[in-house]
Amino acid sequence: MNPLKTHFRARPPGRHRGLFLGQMLRRPGQVGAVSPSSRALGRMMTRDLGPETGAVVELGGGTGRITEAILARGVPAGKLAVYEMDPAFAAILRRRFPDVTVIEADACAIAATPLDDVGAVVSSLPMLSIPLPVQRRIVEGAFQLLRPGGVFIQFTYGWRPSIDRSIRESLALDWTVSPWVLVNVPPARVYTFRKMM
């Protein structure tokens, strides 16, 4: 028996595409994608995670494609909290991942996440389109929560780093970037940010 199946119930992949598109049309400022992230992007975002990572916080859980990838890397469901402010998506996450903490709130509240020893924040938020003061609150809150050496993982469809330069400089962030995940729609790449030592 696949142990991952104890954490979530699979859904037909096409079923959530319509929901994504509908929610994007209803809430264009909140939903930054027209379809769920690909499994390949999920693997790229979570490639460095594992049971030793500690607790993980996911921002913008959507329908759970990245959540699924985090759990597949061996992060225990009890050490994962997912922020999702869209009620329809939050309901899907709760049904699929009953042992994961789903927080139906704005990601600006991340610093108050009820988890200890957080080693990674994994974000699917449309960071480049978020107003700078809001982006700053989210990223600063994430690094307040992260343990020393913790990472902030963010995918983007753009060509430049997905966190604004002023925030990167004020927090003294360094980063690495993945190759393009070409099978994702649209193609995306993953930035991993950490505080310079």
Side-chain angles (χ1 to χ4, degrees), residues 57-77:
V57 177
E58 181 186 0
L59 304 179
T63 57
R65 183 60 60 83
I66 305 301
T67 312
E68 179 181 322
I70 293 168
L71 295 171
R73 295 296 303 170
V75 174

Side-chain angles (χ1 to χ4, degrees), residues 43-50 52-53 73 153 192 194:
R43 287 192 296 271
M44 184 66 77
M45 290 186 76
T46 61
R47 68 192 183 278
D48 295 325
L49 302 184
E52 71 288 345
T53 301
R73 295 296 303 170
I153 302 166
T192 301
R194 53 179 50 81

Side-chain angles (χ1 to χ4, degrees), residues 48-58 70-71 74-82 100-101 110 113-122 142 145-153:
D48 295 325
L49 302 184
E52 71 288 345
T53 301
V56 175
V57 177
E58 181 186 0
I70 293 168
L71 295 171
V75 174
K79 290 190 173 185
L80 175 58
V82 182
V100 169
T101 300
I110 185 172
T113 304
L115 287 175
D116 296 319
D117 192 36
V118 176
V121 173
V122 180
L145 183 67
L146 283 164
R147 70 187 184 193
V151 294
F152 187 100
I153 302 166

